[in-house]
Amino acid sequence: MGLVNWEWRGRSAASGMAALLASVAVIALSAPAARAQQATQPAGDQTDQSKKADQEKAVPAGATLLDKILVLSRTGETAIESLASASHVDQEQLDRRMATTPNEMLLGVPGVAAQADARRVSTSINIRGLQDFGRVAVIVDGARQDFQRSDHGTQSTFYIDPELVKSVDVIRGPVANTYGSGAIGGVVFFDTKDASDFLKPEETWAGSVTGRYESNGKGWSTSATGAYRLNENWDVLGNIVYRNYDDYKDGGGDTVKGTGFDVLSGLLKTTIRPTDNSELKLGWVGSSDGWSEISGGVPINDADLKSNTFTARYNITDEDKSWLDLHINTSYNKTNLGLTSLVPLSRFDPITGDSIILPVGSTSTFDVGTAAIDIWNTSRFETGGVAHELTYGGDWVNDDVKTGGTAGGDSFYTPSGKRNVSGAYVQDKLTWEWLEVIAGLRYDNYSLKDGTHETSGDRLSPRITVGVTPFDTPSLSGLQFYGTYAEGYRSPSLTETLISGNHPAGVTFPFLPNPNLKPETGKTVEFGVNYKQNDILEPGDALRIKAAYFNNNVDDYIEGTSFGASFTNPASACPVDWDQLMNNPGYIPICYQYQNFAKAKINGFELEGLYDAGWGYAGLSASITNGHTISYTGVRADLATIPSSQVTAQLGLRFLEDKLTVGGEVQYNGKPKGNAVATDYTLVNAFASYQATDDLKVDFRADNLFDVKYANPLNGSTTVAVYEPGITLKLAATMRFGG
């Protein structure tokens, strides 16, 4: 299957589509009101009675988000049942947030932050102060997203349009050792939409069209979805999304240059059920993005990006065979980024250090392909009254990085090469009355190489979790305590190991490769509490609370480090040709290299709670994270990737027999320790959603209602504008039809 080549972009296309959807919205808003029904959510039991559907159906009507099955779970757990720091964001939440970027999808998820450039489309996720180079495994429909480009700011980014996503699962910490190698920070799993989520039981086909306008950046989003059921065991869904935005204004009213973008994204997925107990999902998710890179307020590069992810997921579960719950996932992700210079660029030759001028039209290319296989099975049985869920499997990931172009240098700063990471694991979840024990062991192996260097390594990583539910009284029967010790293993990336050459512009200094880098080992201790209780204030209401304290020591932590030499004897610290470099007026006597530190010490507290009743819901989440590095000589330094401490409160009220939901969110962000430029700030958002008829839904949202001028502390090191959008009003209408 070839890569899908998306070339449809431009202002004329955006204007035409905007006019079309504006007309649709006007017609829709004139339709008479009728019985409300959420058209985009499952409308009832589907013909495929999978285990997940059965479990979802078993959830009480008053249940909260924490009662939803984690797609990421390999033993069918809900977030509230999980003896780990886990969160679930469902379709209703995503619709309410009207997310334009991945960052907005994760609003209020404790311990999770995002770093992005001013355009906001490419995103790097931070969990508990760890990010980049695979420390957080970002997975879309089972496919790892490993794209990386060396630059100021974010290093590892991924691309997914929120309109294509139906749920997000987050597991924090290295307890997720059944989900692949390297995730010492945690895992974020984006699950895209299925036809069974869109079609009603009596329908053979259905479609929907959404038009949305945003005031800040004055942009339109348009989306069209179509689904068809060929028969009871075969369905297909397609979704296409186009977004076009101008530069936005920050809370001070200043236009932030370089923040506009136009992006076309799509999804195609089919589900085939060969037998009553098996299911095959084949999918593609892609995007085509174009923008101008800004430096000093002037566009310097025209950027063109294409990202394509192909997945095949097969599972077979037989209730009559408790030993069989088999899953086989294969995937391939390809991201191609091309840069074309718009102005002559002053550079230093990466090899000689000589000053050179690159002509207009010089190109740079970054191509990253990631192939992966993930196979596991869960066997369920009992021994002596103890229930076992034994999960065992293995995975393999290959990253193939190719960089080049006429501009030169990219193969040094983002080096070409190949990396293979593989692993195998076994985990047993034992349950006996009030006691639950999870014991696991994972083996990891990696190798990476280019034309000159090659390195490899392996390790065993254990996990042990003990949970107790000590009370049986009605008010305390839902109270559970747990403690965990878990280890994770992250191999160095190609860039961390092989980066070389000289800094490309402004000033010149050498980058040094480090093939002797040691892998990182995360060692986490976590203590947590889960609490669930129904019928507290009124029949059918539900209260869910998760809280945890964690302490994560990352041995041999890898961080980019500059170290100095003297002007009189620069070669004393940096083994490079300083005689050549000193001929350039922009040289400075330092070297830059990724090096190991003895450890990074990170600790913190997280809370997630939700009360849900017929009249509405109220939620509260919080996270406090602190961290620093310690060198092998005992020198302590603040960890630059520690995010803001956050407290997020949410309130939603339901009216008109649940047709109308209105509410808001308040989020306080505290300045991270050691960040000299960050400040405290508080954001207030408001929203309203009205299901006017079975086939018409209208959504409104106001982000940053009080027009606060603020900056994400994680973006403080970027070279582009870092102030976030000021007040942004969003209005959308969705028309649905089917038969």
Side-chain angles (χ1 to χ4, degrees):
M1 184 180 294
L3 295 180
V4 177
N5 188 11
W6 297 74
E7 295 295 345
W8 175 55
R9 289 202 306 265
R11 299 283 180 181
S12 60
S15 300
M17 188 167 290
L20 173 62
L21 287 174
S23 301
V24 170
V26 170
I27 295 171
L29 291 172
S30 65
R35 180 178 58 87
Q37 182 172 339
Q38 189 79 0
T40 57
Q41 293 187 2
D45 294 335
Q46 303 295 324
T47 54
D48 58 313
Q49 296 296 318
S50 64
K51 179 182 177 183
K52 178 186 172 184
D54 289 338
Q55 289 171 314
E56 291 279 9
K57 184 179 177 182
V59 173
T64 72
L65 286 168
L66 293 174
D67 292 292
K68 300 295 181 69
I69 299 294
L70 293 168
V71 179
L72 188 58
S73 173
R74 301 199 161 172
T75 53
E77 293 175 321
T78 65
I80 195 64
E81 294 170 341
S82 175
L83 299 183
S85 294
S87 299
H88 178 80
V89 183
D90 70 354
Q91 184 69 70
E92 182 180 355
Q93 273 192 314
L94 294 175
D95 290 344
R96 189 162 59 236
R97 290 171 185 174
M98 299 180 70
T100 304
T101 66
N103 182 27
E104 293 169 331
M105 288 192 284
L106 297 166
L107 174 71
V109 178
V112 179
Q115 182 180 2
D117 59 23
R119 291 174 46 257
R120 303 167 290 156
V121 177
S122 58
T123 305
S124 177
I125 294 181
N126 179 304
I127 296 182
R128 294 179 171 178
L130 294 174
Q131 70 178 76
D132 288 336
F133 300 120
R135 293 185 179 100
V136 174
V138 177
I139 303 172
V140 176
D141 284 346
R144 286 191 63 140
Q145 309 294 299
D146 285 352
F147 180 75
Q148 188 269 326
R149 170 198 173 193
S150 293
D151 201 354
H152 295 271
T154 57
Q155 297 293 317
S156 302
T157 58
F158 72 99
Y159 303 84
I160 183 70
D161 193 286
E163 186 67 21
L164 308 178
V165 177
K166 72 174 180 181
S167 69
V168 185
D169 286 346
V170 177
I171 295 182
R172 297 176 284 277
V175 297
N177 50 11
T178 60
Y179 306 109
S181 179
I184 60 175
V187 181
V188 180
F189 190 103
F190 295 89
D191 194 30
T192 61
K193 297 176 179 178
D194 287 289
S196 59
D197 303 309
F198 190 73
L199 291 168
K200 298 178 182 179
E202 71 278 5
E203 289 180 333
T204 300
W205 63 273
S208 72
V209 179
T210 299
R212 189 171 94 192
Y213 176 75
E214 297 189 21
S215 65
N216 195 352
K218 296 182 179 179
W220 279 90
S221 296
T222 61
S223 173
T225 304
Y228 187 79
R229 181 180 290 125
L230 287 81
N231 56 55
E232 64 180 10
N233 293 317
W234 189 6
D235 55 47
V236 61
L237 176 137
N239 195 335
I240 187 169
V241 187
Y242 182 68
R243 300 183 187 270
N244 193 316
Y245 297 95
D246 294 331
D247 292 345
Y248 66 72
K249 293 183 178 180
D250 62 27
D254 298 319
T255 298
V256 182
K257 294 183 179 181
T259 59
F261 63 90
D262 64 308
V263 57
L264 179 67
S265 302
L267 161 70
L268 185 63
K269 184 186 287 187
T270 184
T271 302
I272 304 169
R273 304 168 190 88
T275 68
D276 291 341
N277 301 314
S278 63
E279 185 177 73
L280 173 65
K281 289 182 182 291
L282 303 175
W284 164 80
V285 178
S287 64
S288 178
D289 193 1
W291 69 95
S292 294
E293 291 194 334
I294 305 294
S295 179
V298 178
I300 60 169
N301 283 316
D302 180 46
D304 182 76
L305 181 136
K306 291 178 176 62
S307 177
N308 292 272
T309 297
F310 303 95
T311 57
R313 296 183 286 172
Y314 176 76
N315 66 76
I316 178 170
T317 302
D318 192 339
E319 294 183 357
D320 296 328
K321 300 176 181 177
S322 61
W323 53 269
L324 181 61
D325 189 359
L326 177 65
H327 301 258
I328 303 174
N329 292 352
T330 61
S331 64
Y332 181 70
N333 171 259
K334 181 75 168 180
T335 302
N336 309 92
L337 174 63
L339 304 178
T340 303
S341 64
L342 301 175
V343 296
L345 301 177
S346 175
R347 292 287 189 268
F348 293 103
D349 186 278
I351 300 178
T352 67
D354 292 334
S355 179
I356 57 177
I357 301 296
L358 301 179
V360 174
S362 298
T363 61
S364 301
T365 59
F366 305 83
D367 299 335
V368 180
T370 300
I373 299 174
D374 187 5
I375 303 173
W376 78 92
N377 184 65
T378 299
S379 298
R380 296 171 174 85
F381 55 93
E382 288 190 9
T383 58
V386 177
H388 296 260
E389 290 183 275
L390 183 66
T391 303
Y392 43 94
D395 45 70
W396 169 85
V397 177
N398 171 264
D399 291 326
D400 189 355
V401 181
K402 297 178 181 178
T403 58
T406 60
D410 297 308
S411 59
F412 297 91
Y413 314 128
T414 305
S416 300
K418 294 184 178 182
R419 184 182 72 150
N420 286 292
V421 179
S422 59
Y425 57 86
V426 59
Q427 174 179 286
D428 194 9
K429 177 182 174 182
L430 304 91
T431 305
W432 178 78
E433 295 183 354
W434 50 269
L435 177 66
E436 186 175 325
V437 178
I438 301 173
L441 187 66
R442 178 180 175 88
Y443 170 77
D444 285 297
N445 178 280
Y446 82 94
S447 64
L448 63 84
K449 64 180 179 180
D450 64 358
T452 306
H453 306 91
E454 184 171 358
T455 185
S456 61
D458 62 351
R459 191 180 190 276
L460 284 171
S461 301
R463 174 201 177 178
I464 182 71
T465 299
V466 178
V468 295
T469 309
F471 306 109
D472 56 9
T473 60
S475 60
L476 296 177
S477 60
L479 185 62
Q480 183 179 45
F481 302 94
Y482 71 87
T484 291
Y485 176 78
E487 296 184 4
Y489 180 76
R490 185 187 76 88
S491 65
S493 69
L494 287 163
T495 292
E496 291 170 308
T497 306
L498 304 176
I499 188 172
S500 63
N502 296 315
H503 190 272
V507 297
T508 184
F509 56 86
F511 295 103
L512 302 181
N514 190 354
N516 297 317
L517 275 178
K518 302 174 184 177
E520 296 175 341
T521 303
K523 300 177 179 179
T524 288
V525 175
E526 180 175 316
F527 299 99
V529 59
N530 299 332
Y531 181 70
K532 59 180 180 179
Q533 188 69 34
N534 296 334
D535 305 323
I536 299 175
L537 300 179
E538 60 183 66
D541 67 1
L543 175 66
R544 303 290 184 264
I545 299 174
K546 286 182 72 75
Y549 168 81
F550 66 90
N551 191 318
N552 188 6
N553 290 331
V554 183
D555 292 345
D556 301 313
Y557 181 76
I558 300 172
E559 188 171 63
T561 304
S562 59
F563 50 96
S566 67
F567 278 94
T568 56
N569 185 22
S572 61
C574 303
V576 295
D577 187 354
W578 280 103
D579 290 336
Q580 176 66 44
L581 291 176
M582 290 173 69
N583 292 328
N584 293 288
Y587 92 95
I588 54 177
I590 64 169
C591 288
Y592 188 92
Q593 185 182 52
Y594 285 96
Q595 296 182 350
N596 289 110
F597 286 72
K599 62 177 69 255
K601 297 179 69 67
I602 305 172
N603 61 73
F605 170 79
E606 295 163 352
L607 168 71
E608 184 173 17
L610 188 65
Y611 174 78
D612 202 326
W615 53 265
Y617 67 90
L620 181 68
S621 63
S623 58
I624 301 172
T625 307
N626 298 298
H628 59 272
T629 59
I630 301 175
S631 71
Y632 291 107
T633 59
V635 177
R636 172 173 166 161
D638 293 314
L639 191 59
T641 54
I642 295 298
S644 297
S645 296
Q646 287 187 344
V647 178
T648 305
Q650 305 180 53
L651 177 66
L653 304 174
R654 304 183 181 105
F655 301 98
L656 304 177
E657 298 178 346
D658 295 345
K659 296 176 185 178
L660 175 65
T661 302
V662 297
E665 302 138 358
V666 179
Q667 184 181 81
Y668 168 77
N669 295 264
K671 168 187 170 69
K673 292 181 179 179
N675 191 314
V677 298
T679 59
D680 298 351
Y681 61 92
T682 301
L683 301 177
V684 178
N685 310 319
F687 62 86
S689 178
Y690 180 52
Q691 188 77 50
T693 74
D694 286 352
D695 299 321
L696 170 64
K697 183 169 178 281
V698 180
D699 292 285
F700 170 78
R701 184 173 178 88
D703 285 327
N704 193 2
L705 193 59
F706 294 107
D707 212 13
V708 175
K709 185 174 182 178
Y710 71 100
N712 181 348
L714 294 177
N715 289 344
S717 62
T718 60
T719 57
V720 296
V722 296
Y723 284 109
E724 301 297 319
I727 183 171
T728 303
L729 306 180
K730 303 177 182 181
L731 178 64
T734 299
M735 288 280 296
R736 188 190 187 281
F737 42 88

